[in-house]
Amino acid sequence: MKFKDQLKFLRRNMKKNRLRVFMTILATTMGCAFLIVLASVGFGIHKSITDQFLSQQIITEINIHGKEDSRVTDSDIEKIKGMNDVKAVVKRDYVEAAIEASLDDRTSYNTMTITNMEEELKANLKLEKGEIPKSKNEIIVGYDFAKQLLTKKEQEDVEKAAEQPDEQVKEPKGYEGDLIGKTVNIKVTETDDKGEVKNEKKYDLKIVGIGKAPSRDWVTDNQIYVSDHFKDEFKSFINEENSSISAYASNFEKVASVTQALKDQKYQVYSVTEELDQVNLFFNVFKAGLIFVGTVAVLIASIGIFNTMTMAVTERTQEIGIMKALGAEPGTIRKMFLMESAYIGILGSIIGIVISYAISWISNLALPVILASATGTEDAGAIDFTFSYIPLSLVIIAAVISIGVAMVSGVRPAIKATNVNVLAALRREL
């Protein structure tokens, strides 16, 4: 019998009991959809936590805290720069002194970092506005630098609000003009244990860039980034032990290999992959558990497939006998019944996948509204959380399980069909 004829025979037989076949396909659809939707919750939560975690860190950054028995020297930094997949190595020195910035009649108190601007550029330092400094007297300021530039009256209001939190004091807006191109006076003051000034320096520096807004809303960034050309002048204000050294991989996929290479060279390092490994391990186990629970639903649906195929063998006993009498091979008969069970599994899986995507879309649309209502948040769009996420891998896993279970459910009835006695079948007996 040709394959084309087998398909015609399959369609004709399934049309005879449309309601029973429909209910069997429905059971498979529900099982497949349940598996995908249930597991998609695990994938969605995993994706949300991972995305949130990565958004709060520079994902290609590898912090180097020194060697096991010594500090990282300048020669070590040059060697690290030459390693494979290392894009940049940045050493940041933090000025341990009082930093006062003045613009017109406004003043702010800041922190200062001395860094190599060329390496920062290679490391993809993100700016809200402006550009990377190209000369010694150009600087970058933090995103909140302008808000911290206050007049004397505004500073008094801030101090009053801190002392009397119950009173409503209007929050000052700070400097509202464009800072790019402005020259600020920076005063660096070092005091002794008695509070007396022992070292003071002043500089007029031009703002050419403004840093990106911090990913955490509660963080205030009033940092001042100064070129390392000032390092010798600020030497007395710098404690080398508190300096930080960070290497940057060429892309996120290379972070793990660079991290391991640095560890092999006895460096004490930390990167985002260290924590992601733990997160991924937990969620992989969690998702596997959800897939297992979903598979139970598919197995329950397989009972319906087994029943449908068994009934099909019983009802077609005479047809099977006629085919065997005409010379049909047992393998052909077995294949036809397996094709029928596979058809039920495939059709049920396709419909189940479509329904799963619809449920996932509705869930992600409705959940922020529900959470906003429950928490009293006016803007539902501010809740950035993926409750359900269906990757292609989950679709493939669910389809393989559903179709596989359907075919296994049809094996026993298919074998039974090949064992039908021809004479008994022609007498319409089983």
Side-chain angles (χ1 to χ4, degrees), residues 2-204:
K2 295 181 179 179
F3 182 72
K4 184 179 179 180
D5 295 327
Q6 293 178 23
L7 290 177
K8 288 181 179 179
F9 186 76
L10 169 65
R11 286 195 293 269
R12 181 177 64 83
N13 287 330
M14 295 191 74
K15 286 179 181 179
K16 289 181 180 180
N17 294 285
R18 292 183 180 180
L19 181 59
R20 189 171 65 203
V21 172
F22 169 76
M23 295 303 294
T24 307
I25 292 175
L26 180 62
T28 306
T29 297
M30 293 175 64
C32 181
F34 179 77
L35 191 161
I36 295 175
V37 171
L38 184 64
S40 73
V41 175
F43 281 90
I45 296 174
H46 186 192
K47 183 177 185 298
S48 294
I49 291 178
T50 302
D51 289 347
Q52 185 179 19
F53 184 72
L54 293 179
S55 69
Q56 294 176 354
Q57 301 194 35
I58 300 176
I59 61 175
T60 59
E61 184 179 65
I62 304 164
N63 297 318
I64 304 172
H65 300 284
K67 287 189 173 181
E68 293 180 354
D69 54 356
S70 63
R71 288 168 50 195
V72 179
T73 63
D74 291 340
S75 61
D76 290 328
I77 292 175
E78 292 302 318
K79 289 180 182 178
I80 296 172
K81 288 181 182 179
M83 291 176 59
N84 292 333
D85 302 316
V86 173
K87 182 169 59 174
V89 180
V90 180
K91 181 179 181 183
R92 299 183 179 96
D93 297 300
Y94 305 103
V95 177
E96 297 183 352
I99 310 296
E100 182 180 309
S102 301
L103 177 61
D104 300 333
D105 61 337
R106 296 177 176 273
T107 304
S108 68
Y109 297 93
N110 314 84
T111 55
M112 180 179 286
T113 300
I114 299 175
T115 184
N116 186 310
M117 295 298 178
E118 292 181 1
E119 291 298 310
E120 291 281 7
L121 181 62
K122 292 179 185 177
N124 292 330
L125 175 66
K126 301 297 183 181
L127 299 179
E128 188 74 23
K129 186 188 292 187
E131 60 182 7
I132 296 290
K134 297 177 181 177
S135 64
K136 178 180 178 180
N137 293 322
E138 293 179 342
I139 61 171
I140 296 172
V141 296
Y143 181 80
D144 299 301
F145 181 83
K147 296 179 183 178
Q148 301 296 315
L149 282 171
L150 306 176
T151 62
K152 188 175 182 180
K153 174 66 169 58
E154 289 173 336
Q155 289 176 356
E156 291 174 353
D157 290 341
V158 171
E159 293 172 1
K160 183 180 178 181
E163 294 173 358
Q164 303 174 354
D166 295 335
E167 292 190 14
Q168 292 186 350
V169 180
K170 187 177 180 181
E171 184 179 352
K173 296 181 179 179
Y175 186 80
E176 297 183 279
D178 188 1
L179 284 175
I180 300 296
K182 298 291 184 181
T183 298
V184 293
N185 179 264
I186 306 294
K187 183 169 71 173
V188 184
T189 305
E190 184 182 16
T191 57
D192 56 21
D193 296 337
K194 296 180 180 179
E196 296 181 359
V197 177
K198 66 175 185 179
N199 193 3
E200 183 178 279
K201 293 184 179 181
K202 293 183 179 181
Y203 300 91
D204 289 326

Side-chain angles (χ1 to χ4, degrees), residues 374-405:
T375 58
T377 305
E378 294 182 1
D379 184 13
I383 301 176
D384 185 15
F385 187 84
T386 303
F387 179 73
S388 175
Y389 172 65
I390 305 176
L392 180 60
S393 59
L394 177 57
V395 172
I396 294 173
I397 291 171
V400 169
I401 291 175
S402 298
I403 297 171
V405 168

